[in-house]
Structures are given as structure tokens and as C-alpha cells.
Amino acid sequence: MRTPFIAGNWKMNKTADEAVAFVNQVKDALNAIEGVDIAFCPPFMAIPAMAAALKGTKVGVGAQNMYFEASGAYTGEVAANMLTPFCKYVIIGHSERRQYFGETDETVNKKINAALASGLIPIVCCGESLQQNQAGVTHDFVSGQIRNGFAGISAEEAAGIVVAYEPIWAIGTGLTATAEQAQAIIGGTVRATLTELYGDETAQQIRIQYGGSVKPSNVAEIMAQPDIDGALVGGASLKPDFVELVKNSV
Ligand code: PGA
């Protein structure tokens, strides 16, 4: 069976010092929670210090982005092999990166390939905007994001990738998709598309998270859905009651 996976996406929050102080506060409690994989994805500057602070615990570290080239004249970018000494995971194609930083399905695809080649586990984000949701094109749009993002990725590679479905209208807004709405897209679109691409056996191995205003109070009913294997948590992962959220997920 798929092990549940809760990841905190800190976005552009917490300095390295603040990050270490925070994880020192919560790491023992998180480490004691069984049956769930846990990770924090802090800003780049906090990654090495976080990795050191979390050493010997079950809590992993992820990056929020990376570039697909291995090295070279790409001012401001960070390559996969710069992350691997510290990170197990990397978030790819978050909607904020698509919206503000020109990320496309094509760059997402290149980044997935580069991450896999370096041994990082990609957390690949997809999700529709409010307008797309209201226009009834969610299925086709999200299915297209998956098809384009996974182009050329083998079934063996795909099995180890994590997908995060995050409806853009639910991110940071306090609006959560109902657990049933999230299940409908995660099962009926995300896993269904992965099944078309890779067959049932592989698709059943792929972990799919829900993201968008997940909190300690709503995580249990989200996790109770058959196709939802975890959560990508923004705002609620910055506070100590993230421990409660993770406890409530199992
Ligand atoms: P949120 O963010 O939990 O603050 O809505 C989720 C995300 O963007 O990953």
C-alpha cells in the first residue's frame, strides 16, 4: 500500500535561523508519529541547516524548485546535484511558479527528468484556476498537465514520483475543495490519467497529495478518501500545530 506523505511547503517564509528554531521545536513529536512520511520544503537558504537539524529523524527535507540544467551560465538558478546532499524531495511546477515565474508543462517535464537523474523524488504539482474550474474544464486541463509533465517518463520512474493536486482557488484562500471534490479529481482525473499512461499496477503505486488550505481540522476527512495519499501543506506547516495536522492524517 501507499505510505501517506505529508509535506510542508514553506514558500518564501522563515530565515535559516527561524527554520532551525522551528524544527527543533517540532521534530521529536513528528519523529514519533508512525505510518506517515513527513518532509519540510523551506527556502533554499535554510536547506543545509534544516538538513543538519533533522538528521537522524524521519523528517525529510525538500526544495521548492530547481533548474533542469546540471551547471552553467544560469544566473540565480540551483541544480539538482546541489540539492542532493541535503534533500530527498523537490517540488516541481507549483502553481505559484507557473503563475509568477513562467514555469510551463515543458519546463516541468525537463525538471522531472533532471530530478530523477539525480535521485531526487519529484513532488509534481498540478491544478486548475478558479476560471477553469467554473468553466468546467478542470478534467481536461489537469489531465493535460499530467500527460505533458510525464512525457517520456518510464513506468518504473513514474511509480516513485509524488503528484500534488492543488486547485489554485484553494491555495492560501481558506477555501478547501471538499474531500469529495478533491477525491473526484484525484481519482477521476489524476490517477485515471496515470492509469491510461502506465497501467493500473503502476498508477496504484503513485502517491497523490491534495493541497490547498489543509489544516489540522480538515486533514482527516481528506485523507479518508481512497485516492488521496497525503497533503502538500502551505500556511499550516509554518506553525507548531503542524504536529496535530500530521497526527490527524494517520
Ligand atoms: P496552503 O498552500 O496550504 O497555504 O493553501 C498549499 C500550497 O500552495 O502548497
Side-chain angles (χ1 to χ4, degrees):
M1 265 317 284
R2 305 181 294 264
T3 306
F5 178 26
I6 307 289
N9 172 14
W10 283 0
K11 310 189 179 184
M12 199 171 73
N13 293 290
K14 295 194 193 292
T15 64
D17 286 351
E18 289 164 351
V20 169
F22 178 81
V23 295
N24 282 338
Q25 204 183 335
V26 296
K27 68 180 180 185
D28 291 343
L30 290 174
N31 198 39
I33 307 172
E34 285 173 20
V36 57
D37 291 345
I38 308 166
F40 286 116
C41 305
F44 286 125
M45 295 306 295
I47 286 175
M50 288 269 292
L54 291 168
K55 204 166 185 230
T57 75
K58 65 176 280 177
V59 184
V61 178
Q64 298 172 16
N65 181 35
M66 51 165 265
Y67 196 51
F68 50 77
E69 295 291 355
S71 65
Y74 304 103
T75 301
E77 293 295 324
V78 172
N81 72 351
M82 300 171 185
L83 299 174
T84 46
F86 312 103
C87 294
K88 183 168 176 187
Y89 307 98
V90 58
I91 299 173
I92 293 176
H94 190 278
S95 61
E96 287 150 18
R97 298 222 50 93
R98 295 178 190 254
Q99 186 179 349
Y100 304 128
F101 304 103
E103 198 85 68
T104 63
D105 288 351
E106 194 188 353
T107 59
V108 166
N109 179 252
K110 288 181 175 172
K111 289 181 181 191
I112 295 173
N113 276 291
L116 291 170
S118 289
L120 292 166
I121 298 176
I123 301 174
V124 180
C125 299
C126 60
E128 82 287 4
S129 67
L130 183 60
Q131 293 87 319
Q132 289 166 326
N133 186 280
Q134 289 174 341
V137 299
T138 299
H139 175 80
D140 288 350
F141 181 73
V142 173
S143 177
Q145 286 182 315
I146 298 291
R147 282 173 205 284
N148 295 333
F150 279 71
I153 306 289
S154 72
E156 200 186 356
E157 291 169 325
I161 293 175
V162 178
V163 178
Y165 166 65
E166 303 198 301
I168 297 170
W169 48 271
I171 296 176
T173 57
L175 294 173
T176 326
T178 64
E180 290 73 24
Q181 281 175 316
Q183 165 61 29
I185 305 301
I186 287 178
T189 297
V190 180
R191 200 176 304 282
T193 303
L194 292 166
T195 305
E196 279 175 37
L197 293 174
Y198 298 111
D200 197 48
E201 204 188 322
T202 299
Q204 288 300 326
Q205 291 175 58
I206 298 174
R207 293 191 290 182
I208 308 176
Q209 300 173 319
Y210 168 77
S213 300
V214 177
K215 327 181 250 282
S217 59
N218 64 13
V219 70
E221 64 170 325
I222 290 166
M223 293 297 292
Q225 302 298 317
D227 284 293
I228 304 182
D229 309 312
L232 186 55
V233 183
S237 70
L238 294 163
K239 297 179 242 150
D241 67 357
F242 180 67
V243 173
E244 294 312 308
L245 189 157
V246 178
K247 278 187 188 158
N248 294 347
S249 76
V250 287

